[in-house]
Amino acid sequence: MRKAVLATVLAAVAGVTLTPMTSSAATAYKGANTAAVQDDFNGDGYRDLAIGAPHAANGSVEEAGAVVVLYGSASSVSTTRRTVITQATTGIPGDPEAWDGFGAEVTSADLDRDGYADLIVGTPDEAVGSNQSRGSVTVVWGGSTGLKSGTSIAPPTGYGDGRTYCRFGLSLATGDTNGDGAPDLGVGSGCEGASYTGPFTRTGTAAYTDRESFYGATRGVVMGDVDGDGDAEQFWLPGPTDGDLRGPVYVQPGVTDGDPAPPSYRTELPYADGHAGVIGDINGDGYGDLVTGVSTDDSMSGGPAGWARLGGEIDVLYGSAQGITADQKPKVFQQDTAGVPGTAEGGDMFGQSLSIGDLNGDGYADVLVGSPGEAIGTRASAGNVVLLRGSAAGLTTTKAAGYNQDTTGVPGAAETGDQFGAAVHLADLNKDGKLETIVGIPTENSDGCVWIARGSSAGPVLSGSVNLCGKSAGITLLNTKGYFGAALSGAHVEL
C-alpha cells in the first residue's frame, strides 16, 4: 500500500459564449440514470443518501475508508437510520487496508433490475495484490432490508497493460446507453476507461464489457441523453494531455438498435474542456445539457500559464435533436461572471464539484457548484457553494445565490481548511417534490460533515438546516481526519 497523495488536477477552458437554441423533444428528459429507482436502496419509496468517508479508519487500520448510507423518510435523513459499509462488512469483497480510501467515489443504479437501487463504490487507491493503487469498484446490492452483500466489478481483460498505479474507479457514471431499461456503467481511471453494458448478474458480470483505451487516462466520465432518442451518450474526459492542457472531451453516442456493444466511434468536442461533469435539462426543451467543471487555475497549476480562468469555472453545452455537436461553443460561468456570487481569486476551485436537478419544480434543471478552495474573509479554503438557476434561455445568474458557513442560517462557522463544497448533491430525500441541497465539508472538525437544507420553491431553506457529522454517523478515526462528506453522488474531481 502507499499513502494516497492528493494531486491537484490541472484543467481549464477557453470557451466562447453561445446562446443555446431550444427545440421540442417527444418526451421529457429522464436524467442520466434512467432506472425506475434512484438511490432507493431499501425500496421504501424514499431516496437515500450515500456519503463517502475515504479516510475513515477501520479498527487499527488507518484510512481504510467507509461509506455511510442514510435512509430517506418523510422527515428526510438522520444519522439514526443508517448503514455503515466498509471492506470489513460481512459480504463486502476485499479487506480493509491502510490508505485504500474505500468510498472515494459513490453513485447508484439498479444494476440487476430487481427494483432496488444498488450502491457503487470507487476505491481508486486500493492495492490489488502487489499492484499499488490499482483501484477497485464494488457493488453493494440493495434489497427490502437495505444494502447487504456485494461483489467486485472486474476491469476488462487486458486493462492497463500491466501498469500498477491505474486508480480504477477514479470516476463513475451510470445511464442506459441502448434503451433496454438496464443501467450501464462507465468507469474512469488513470490508465483507461471501461464500459459495462447491463444488466449485471449478482456476480458482477455485465452483458458486455469494453476497454476504452482510445482515450488513455479518463479522469471523468458522464452519461446522459443529450439528443432525445432515449439512449444515453457517454462523455469521456481524459484530463490534461500533451496536446491539450485544458483536457479534451469526447462524446460516444448511445446505441439505437439494441446492440449491447457501444459504438467504437467517438467525436471530440474541440471547444469543450473539463474534468468532471453532469447532465440535466437546464432549458426545459427535453434534451440533456452537459455541464463540466474545470477548477484548477494558473495559481495552482505549477506549470505554464493558460489553464482555467482565475478561480475556476464551469462550461455548459446544450443538447438538441442532433445532440451536442463539435461546432458548439460552451457558455462559461466563473465568479467574475456578472451575477455570480463571489469574486474570482486564485485557488478558489470553482467547479471542483457539481450537481444538477430541478430544485424548485419549475421544469428547468438548476446547477449547484462547489468551490472548496474559496477563502471566506481571511480563512483560506473555508469553502463556498453557488446555486445557478435554469431557465428557458439556459443557465442564468438570475436569483443566483452563494452559501457558506458564515451565511445566516447555515450551521457552524467558516473556518480555515473546512473545504465546504468539496462535494455537492441535489436530491429529494423526503419525497415532497423539492430537492434538498447537500454539501460535503470533509475537513470540518476531525471527522467531516455534510450540510443538508430542505428544498422549497424558493430554493434551500436555511432555517432548520443541519450539519450531520461522521462520528455521529458511525465512522471511526485514527490519526487523520475521516473526510466524511468527501464524496456524494454528485460529480467531483477526484484529487
Side-chain angles (χ1 to χ4, degrees), residues 9-11 166 170-171 187-193 212-222 234-251 266-269 272-277 292-294 493-494:
V9 182
L10 307 179
C166 281
L170 190 64
S171 56
V187 179
S189 82
C191 287
E192 59 191 57
E212 301 295 347
S213 56
F214 171 85
Y215 310 103
T218 49
R219 179 159 294 278
V221 55
V222 193
Q234 294 186 85
F235 293 83
W236 296 95
L237 287 62
T241 67
D242 290 341
D244 185 354
L245 296 176
R246 295 179 172 90
V249 176
Y250 294 89
V251 57
R266 73 281 292 173
T267 300
E268 182 175 4
L269 303 177
D273 302 281
H275 291 276
T292 59
V294 282
V493 179
E494 172 60 25

Side-chain angles (χ1 to χ4, degrees), residues 94-122:
D95 298 298
E97 299 168 303
W99 308 303
D100 272 356
F102 180 82
E105 294 284 334
V106 294
T107 192
S108 75
D110 183 12
L111 294 183
D112 60 352
R113 291 195 296 183
D114 66 350
Y116 300 96
D118 307 307
L119 174 68
I120 309 165
V121 182

